[in-house]
């Protein structure tokens, strides 16, 4: 919560910021107090970016809400893999809500490489999509039987049109759209929520690439979005949940010394003395902090307009220039017209409430690193090497990893290099596991 004393003094200057953009959404229920949420997916979820932004939003917007969240993404995983790891990696969290975003690995992207064509390839492509849909249904069944509310997410975009150096693999995103269509049908069957990532992200890419062929909302590998893409995804998710844009909405008539509006906040001690309007405001939420790594997302989707409004409107002031102070600290120089129109304090990074939000952001970022880069490494090793062992002991597990390392080092390819890195990370982290 933020408690601040707010003052206006006559001063100089003015500033105003505005954003526009995008799109329509299917419904997904908002998380509730006491919910336990598993975000299920592949490496795009494992990255711990979009759902970390979602968690940050809930922590700043609903500070009294008790919400437990788990990263249940695994790099390289498929719907079949999620079914296989359900009993030990997802069910023990006893989720009340689970989001499902899978398909990027399921569609077998190599089947879309240059030169791959013909009836046999087409049949393999279709089988991969059919298998994905079947396994998504199995996963949904497992979750539904355990009483979990479901939110299906259409797979994020594979950029098959950009100028990245990696092969375009035309058709991959079309296959992901087929998986997205299946998600819509599953959402209808289970009376579940649905969030569309693929369609809006493709629209953003199309618009951007029409102006600049090098534009992409996805990274150089055409698969993994960076921080900007992940904040767009978080926006799409939160917007689909129908969350109010209001951090706080404060409206005061200075001439009448009257509080006209106090939405999600409490205004008291209002006074106007010698040209200084002062009041105390207890805001019940914090603005959402956006850093340099993902700030460009604000030009791609109307995040601020739709989800991050901390509005202060002052009417009845003489035409003059004013200075806004919060907790005695100068925040902004403005004028009566701008104050009458209303300021969005969420856009100001020098307010006490924004600085408080940055502290929350820091804690959640540290948590995401521990979970995504450390705890999920243990889950990866379990999934890739240990979960099917009939006998378990530290010695057996050590031998399994050593044998796999020796085998993988004989053949140099991207997948083997990646798995070698996972094993080496696991070995370094093992003393910290507890």
């Amino acid at each position: 919560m933020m408690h601040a004393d707010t003052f206006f003094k006559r001063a100089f200057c003015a500033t105003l910021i505005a954003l526009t953009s995008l799109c329509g959404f299917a419904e997904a229920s908002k998380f509730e107090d006491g919910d336990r949420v598993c975000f299920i997916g592949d490496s795009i979820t494992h990255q711990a970016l979009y759902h970390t932004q979602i968690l940050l939003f809930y922590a700043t917007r609903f500070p009294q809400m008790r919400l437990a969240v788990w990263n249940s993404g695994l790099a390289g995983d498929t719907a079949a893999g999620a079914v296989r790891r359900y009993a030990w990696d997802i069910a023990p969290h006893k989720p009340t809500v689970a989001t499902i975003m899978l398909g990027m690995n399921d569609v077998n992207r190599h089947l879309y490489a240059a030169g791959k064509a013909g009836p046999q390839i087409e049949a393999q492509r279709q089988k991969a999509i059919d298998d994905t849909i079947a396994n998504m249904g199995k996963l949904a069944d497992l979750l539904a039987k355990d009483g979990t509310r479901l939110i299906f997410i259409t797979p994020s975009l594979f950029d098959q049109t950009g100028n990245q150096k990696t092969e375009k693999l035309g058709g991959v995103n079309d296959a992901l759209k087929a998986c997205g269509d299946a998600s819509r049908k599953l959402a209808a069957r289970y009376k579940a929520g649905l969030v569309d990532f693929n369609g809006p992200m493709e629209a953003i890419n199309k618009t951007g690439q029409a102006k600049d062929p090098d534009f992409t909302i996805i990274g150089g590998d055409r698969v993994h979005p960076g921080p900007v893409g992940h904040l767009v995804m978080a926006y799409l998710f939160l917007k689909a949940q129908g969350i109010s844009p209001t951090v706080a909405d404060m409206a005061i008539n200075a001439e009448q010394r009257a509080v006209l509006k106090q939405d999600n906040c409490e205004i008291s001690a209002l006074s106007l003395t010698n040209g200084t309007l002062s009041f105390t405001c207890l805001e019940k939420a914090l603005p959402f902090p956006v850093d340099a790594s993902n700030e460009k997302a604000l030009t791609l989707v109307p995040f601020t307009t739709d989800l991050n409004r901390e509005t202060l409107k002052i009417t009845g002031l003489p035409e003059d220039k004013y200075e806004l102070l919060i907790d005695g600290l100068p925040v902004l120089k403005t004028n009566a017209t701008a104050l009458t129109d209303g300021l969005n304090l969420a856009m100001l990074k020098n307010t006490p409430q924004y600085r408080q939000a940055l502290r929350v952001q820091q804690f959640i970022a540290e948590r995401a690193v521990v979970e995504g880069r450390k705890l999920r490494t243990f889950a990866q090793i379990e999934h890739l090497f240990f979960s099917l062992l009939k006998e378990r002991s530290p010695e057996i597990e050590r031998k399994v990893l050593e044998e796999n390392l020796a085998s993988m080092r004989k053949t140099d390819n991207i997948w083997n290099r990646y798995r070698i890195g996972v094993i080496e990370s696991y070995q370094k982290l093992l003393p910290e596991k507890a």
Side-chain angles (χ1 to χ4, degrees), residues 100-338:
I100 301 172
M101 183 176 70
L102 291 157
M104 190 64 75
N105 300 310
D106 305 69
V107 298
N108 292 342
R109 297 191 302 275
H110 67 275
L111 293 173
Y112 298 83
K116 295 276 189 180
Q120 186 175 0
I121 292 295
E122 290 296 330
Q124 291 174 1
R125 291 174 178 176
Q126 188 58 51
K127 184 177 186 306
I129 293 171
D130 292 342
D131 288 347
T132 305
I133 294 168
N135 284 307
M136 291 263 285
K138 291 178 182 178
L139 178 61
D141 279 341
L142 290 169
L143 288 158
K145 285 176 182 175
D146 284 343
T148 307
R149 306 195 312 273
L150 302 178
I151 299 174
F152 291 90
I153 305 174
T154 66
S156 57
L157 180 71
F158 177 87
D159 186 355
Q160 61 189 28
T161 57
N163 277 353
Q164 296 96 314
K165 293 179 180 179
T166 49
E167 189 177 354
K168 287 190 174 182
L169 302 180
V172 168
N173 199 56
D174 302 282
L176 293 176
K177 287 181 183 179
C179 296
D181 290 339
S183 293
R184 288 181 177 84
K185 292 176 182 176
L186 287 168
R189 182 194 305 173
Y190 290 94
K191 295 181 173 57
L194 177 74
V195 181
D196 185 14
F197 280 178
N198 195 283
M201 293 178 81
E202 184 180 44
I204 290 170
N205 242 26
K206 184 176 180 179
T207 299
Q209 290 171 6
K211 300 175 183 177
D212 176 7
D214 292 329
F215 174 89
T216 183
I217 198 172
I218 308 298
D221 65 357
R222 302 182 184 274
V223 172
H224 296 93
V228 171
H230 276 272
L231 185 55
V232 168
M233 291 155 65
Y235 163 80
L236 294 169
F237 188 92
L238 293 164
K239 184 67 176 165
Q241 287 190 310
I243 292 175
S244 164
T246 302
V247 177
D249 193 352
M250 301 159 273
I252 292 171
N253 185 295
E255 186 178 19
Q256 298 175 2
R257 295 166 177 74
V259 176
L260 305 180
K261 193 171 188 179
Q262 45 185 337
D263 186 6
N264 209 38
C265 60
E266 296 174 6
I267 297 173
S268 59
L270 175 62
S271 69
L272 179 60
T273 308
N274 298 325
T276 296
L277 173 71
S278 66
F279 58 93
T280 297
C281 184
L282 173 66
E283 296 187 30
K284 298 180 181 179
L286 293 171
F288 182 84
V290 178
D291 58 40
S293 70
N294 57 19
E295 198 166 28
K296 186 181 176 183
L298 302 184
T299 68
L300 303 176
V301 292
F303 190 103
T304 302
T305 302
D306 288 351
L307 292 170
N308 198 27
R309 294 191 212 163
E310 187 185 12
T311 308
L312 176 64
K313 183 179 287 190
I314 309 289
T315 57
L317 286 170
E319 285 298 329
D320 208 339
K321 295 175 181 178
Y322 294 87
E323 183 172 30
L324 168 64
L325 298 92
I326 302 178
D327 291 346
L329 301 175
V331 168
L332 176 70
K333 292 178 180 179
T334 185
N335 59 43
T337 300

Side-chain angles (χ1 to χ4, degrees), residues 6 14 20 53 85 91 105 141 155 167 194 291 312 340 403 414:
T6 306
T20 57
Q53 297 300 315
R85 62 184 168 92
N105 300 310
D141 279 341
E167 189 177 354
L194 177 74
D291 58 40
L312 176 64
T340 298
E403 289 173 350
I414 292 175

